[in-house]
C-alpha cells in the first residue's frame, strides 16, 4: 500500500492512489506507554508507565501499512499518535520520528475530529460503504460500568 506521511500534517498518513469518489478505510491508531503525570502512586490511582502499548499500536500501524488489503476498501488515511518509552523507540528505529504525533488530549481530540469530518465529508453512498478503524492501546479508567475513558499521554 502506498501510504505516505503527509509532509504538511504530522501524524497523518495518506494513500495518494485513493480516489475520494470510492470507499476506503480510515483509521485512528493511538498507543500510549509514556505518561507525563502517572507515577504509580495513589495520586495516579496506582497507574504508572506502560512498556508495550506504543509498540503494539506501531506494530498494528505497520501491519496496516504493509499488509492490509481489501479489494474494494483500500487504506485511505491513518492518523497515528504514539507516546513510546525510550526502549520502544529503539525498537521502532525504522519509523521516522516525525511520522506521528504525541497523543495528548488536544491532539487525540483533533485527530478523532479530523477522522470523523473526513468520513462525514464523503458522498453519502461512499461513506456508507467505507470502513472506520479505531485502535487504542494504553491506560483506561472505568468511571461507571457503562462509562469508560481512555487516557491520553498528558493525563
Amino acid at each position: 500500500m502506498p501510504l505516505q506521511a503527509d509532509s504538511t500534517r504530522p501524524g497523518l498518513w495518506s494513500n495518494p492512489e485513493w480516489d475520494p469518489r470510492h470507499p476506503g478505510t480510515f483509521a485512528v491508531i493511538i498507543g500510549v506507554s509514556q505518561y507525563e503525570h502517572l507515577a504509580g502512586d495513589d495520586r495516579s490511582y496506582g497507574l504508572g508507565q506502560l512498556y508495550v502499548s506504543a509498540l503494539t499500536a506501531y506494530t498494528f500501524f505497520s501491519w496496516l501499512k504493509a499488509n492490509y488489503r481489501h479489494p474494494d476498501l483500500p487504506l485511505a488515511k491513518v492518523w497515528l499518535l504514539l507516546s513510546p518509552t525510550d526502549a520502544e523507540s529503539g525498537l521502532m528505529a525504522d519509523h521516522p520520528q516525525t511520522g506521528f504525533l504525541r497523543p495528548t488530549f488536544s491532539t487525540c481530540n483533533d485527530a478523532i475530529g479530523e477522522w470523523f469530518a473526513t468520513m462525514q465529508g464523503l458522498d453519502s453512498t461512499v461513506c456508507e460503504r467505507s470502513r472506520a478503524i479505531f485502535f487504542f492501546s494504553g491506560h483506561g479508567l472505568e468511571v461507571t460500568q457503562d462509562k469508560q475513558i481512555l487516557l491520553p499521554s498528558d493525563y
Side-chain angles (χ1 to χ4, degrees):
M1 186 61 53
L3 202 59
Q4 300 173 352
D6 186 319
S7 61
T8 63
R9 175 65 174 87
L12 176 61
W13 292 74
S14 300
N15 176 353
E17 295 178 7
W18 172 69
D19 181 348
R21 296 173 296 173
H22 299 284
T25 299
F26 302 83
V28 171
I29 301 172
I30 303 170
V32 187
S33 293
Q34 189 173 53
Y35 285 86
E36 295 173 24
H37 308 291
L38 297 183
D41 56 13
D42 289 343
R43 248 182 96 219
S44 302
Y45 304 104
L47 300 174
Q49 305 304 304
L50 298 174
Y51 302 98
V52 297
S53 290
L55 183 59
T56 299
Y58 170 73
T59 302
F60 180 67
F61 167 76
S62 295
W63 175 84
L64 274 178
K65 187 174 183 278
N67 299 312
Y68 174 82
R69 301 291 182 270
H70 189 292
D72 301 320
L73 301 169
L75 200 53
K77 292 182 183 275
V78 176
W79 287 261
L80 182 62
L81 297 93
L82 301 173
S83 179
T85 62
D86 290 340
E88 287 175 306
S89 291
L91 296 171
M92 300 185 311
D94 63 318
H95 186 61
Q97 296 301 306
T98 58
F100 60 87
L101 288 174
R102 190 155 180 84
T104 63
F105 180 84
S106 177
T107 58
C108 287
N109 186 59
D110 291 347
I112 293 167
E114 288 174 19
W115 175 55
F116 180 81
T118 297
M119 291 191 70
Q120 190 176 40
L122 298 171
D123 178 84
S124 62
T125 58
V126 171
C127 186
E128 287 174 13
R129 294 180 15 236
S130 290
R131 177 176 287 174
I133 299 171
F134 181 84
F135 181 95
F136 179 89
S137 183
H139 280 304
L141 292 173
E142 183 175 68
V143 178
T144 63
Q145 192 170 13
D146 63 341
K147 183 179 181 184
Q148 297 82 33
I149 56 174
L150 303 176
L151 303 184
S153 64
D154 57 348
Y155 175 81

